[in-house]
Amino acid sequence: MIVFPNAKINLGLNIVSRRPDGYHDLLTIFYPVGRYAGTPSDSGRLADIIEITPSTSDTDSMKVTGRHIDCHMHDNLVWKALQLFRKSVPDLPTVDIKLEKHLPDGAGMGGGSADASFTLRALNEIAGNPITMDDLARMALNLGADCPFFIYNTPCIGTGTGEILTPVSLDLGNYTLAVLKPSEGISTRDAFARITPSVPTYTPEKLLDMPVEQWRDRMTNDFEQPMFALHPELREIKEYLYESGAVYASMTGSGSAFYGLFNNPEKARQCACEAPTPFTAVSSLFL
């Protein structure tokens, strides 16, 4: 079986409170991107490739190719997803897994989380779907706060630590996405340490009633200002997106990737082509 784990972007990301357990409650809209990466309709690089085949030995194996990630196999979320699934379905036959990485790490696009969740979904199908989608999402939460979103892989408002998901009717198919990522990554732990929680003026429900062109300065990512102070070059990336014709631009997640929504596909491609960042991608936003 071959699956193509796609990325996500955050439309707004507000940290509303710090919890007694040390985690934070947030408010965001998750939107899947790169769902058609690698197909004729979308030549972008916003999806990884996972191939799972029956093993000829009595042990599982895993091989990672593509973009280099500094991670031991047993620490990779794909491997952890396999071990977690085996606890619920111990009679799953042994498998060989090949992971080809295209999504950048340290980007705030959920690459590792997507890989883990798509692995759970694929293993569940291989096993005959013994686990419901909702139970699979609860299982995925053990691997990361973003993982449940990728089980459903549809636009959702995220609350709690991001694991409480409410599907929303949102289709950005009329826009083209450009993603720019600088060489620097941002530690999620360091990013959260610089946040002062607050309740946003505009909630996702209010913003979804507005045209995308009115999101600027209303739909905000709380990580941007602390990261701009720490890495001034990040502000320049966002400004470049607007100067290139984006109708809305933002950091995604805790960074360091930025994206722009363009109503002109050619401007999106030109933006990515001329961008001063080592990683760029252009993608349609069809669901």
Side-chain angles (χ1 to χ4, degrees), residues 24 43 57 89 99 109 113 167 184 189 195-196 220 262 274:
H24 294 78
S43 59
S57 70
V89 187
L99 167 62
M109 303 192 74
S113 297
E184 302 89 344
R189 182 187 298 271
I195 287 290
T196 299
T220 58
F262 291 77
E274 299 176 358

Side-chain angles (χ1 to χ4, degrees), residues 180 216 228 232-246 249-250 258 271:
L180 313 181
R216 184 173 182 173
F228 287 166
E233 64 275 13
L234 296 181
R235 185 189 299 274
E236 297 175 3
I237 295 174
K238 183 175 182 179
E239 291 173 349
Y240 170 76
L241 284 161
Y242 277 124
E243 291 167 358
S244 299
S250 176
F258 284 76
C271 171

Side-chain angles (χ1 to χ4, degrees), residues 26-27 47 58-59 85 114 131 149 157 163-164 173 183 189 198 208 210 216 228 260 262 267 275 283:
L26 57 82
L27 185 59
D58 57 0
T59 59
F85 189 83
I131 301 175
F149 163 73
I157 294 176
E163 87 286 4
I164 303 173
S183 55
R189 182 187 298 271
S198 63
L208 290 176
M210 298 180 183
R216 184 173 182 173
F228 287 166
F262 291 77
K267 285 187 177 181
S283 176

Side-chain angles (χ1 to χ4, degrees), residues 53-165:
T53 56
S55 178
T56 57
S57 70
D58 57 0
T59 59
D60 298 314
S61 72
M62 179 175 166
K63 180 180 180 181
V64 182
T65 60
R67 292 180 64 87
H68 173 72
I69 51 175
D70 187 14
C71 177
H72 188 275
M73 183 186 77
H74 289 174
D75 294 324
N76 191 294
L77 286 178
V78 168
W79 185 259
K80 290 184 175 182
L82 172 60
Q83 305 313 310
L84 182 63
F85 189 83
R86 281 202 176 283
K87 291 181 180 180
S88 295
V89 187
D91 59 347
L92 177 77
T94 56
V95 294
D96 296 325
I97 299 179
K98 295 179 181 178
L99 167 62
E100 184 177 312
K101 288 295 298 180
H102 297 275
L103 294 169
D105 59 317
M109 303 192 74
S113 297
D115 292 341
S117 293
F118 273 69
T119 298
L120 291 178
R121 288 168 50 179
L123 292 173
N124 194 44
E125 185 172 343
I126 289 170
N129 295 308
I131 301 175
T132 67
M133 289 286 281
D134 290 344
D135 285 340
L136 209 61
R138 282 187 278 272
M139 181 187 298
L141 184 58
N142 291 285
L143 299 168
D146 285 351
C147 291
F149 163 73
F150 286 105
I151 295 295
Y152 303 109
N153 207 33
T154 189
C156 292
I157 294 176
T159 56
T161 61
E163 87 286 4
I164 303 173
L165 301 168

Side-chain angles (χ1 to χ4, degrees), residues 163-239:
E163 87 286 4
I164 303 173
L165 301 168
T166 304
V168 292
S169 179
L170 175 62
D171 186 354
L172 298 176
N174 290 331
Y175 296 89
T176 301
L177 178 82
V179 176
L180 313 181
K181 183 190 177 295
S183 55
E184 302 89 344
I186 292 177
S187 161
T188 301
R189 182 187 298 271
D190 291 345
F192 271 99
R194 296 173 181 273
I195 287 290
T196 299
S198 63
V199 178
T201 302
Y202 294 92
T203 63
E205 291 86 353
K206 289 182 181 179
L207 289 161
L208 290 176
D209 289 334
M210 298 180 183
V212 173
E213 288 76 7
Q214 294 182 17
W215 287 358
R216 184 173 182 173
D217 300 326
R218 292 184 174 91
M219 183 178 284
T220 58
N221 183 326
D222 287 347
F223 289 104
E224 284 189 356
Q225 294 306 318
M227 292 302 103
F228 287 166
L230 191 63
H231 303 286
E233 64 275 13
L234 296 181
R235 185 189 299 274
E236 297 175 3
I237 295 174
K238 183 175 182 179
E239 291 173 349

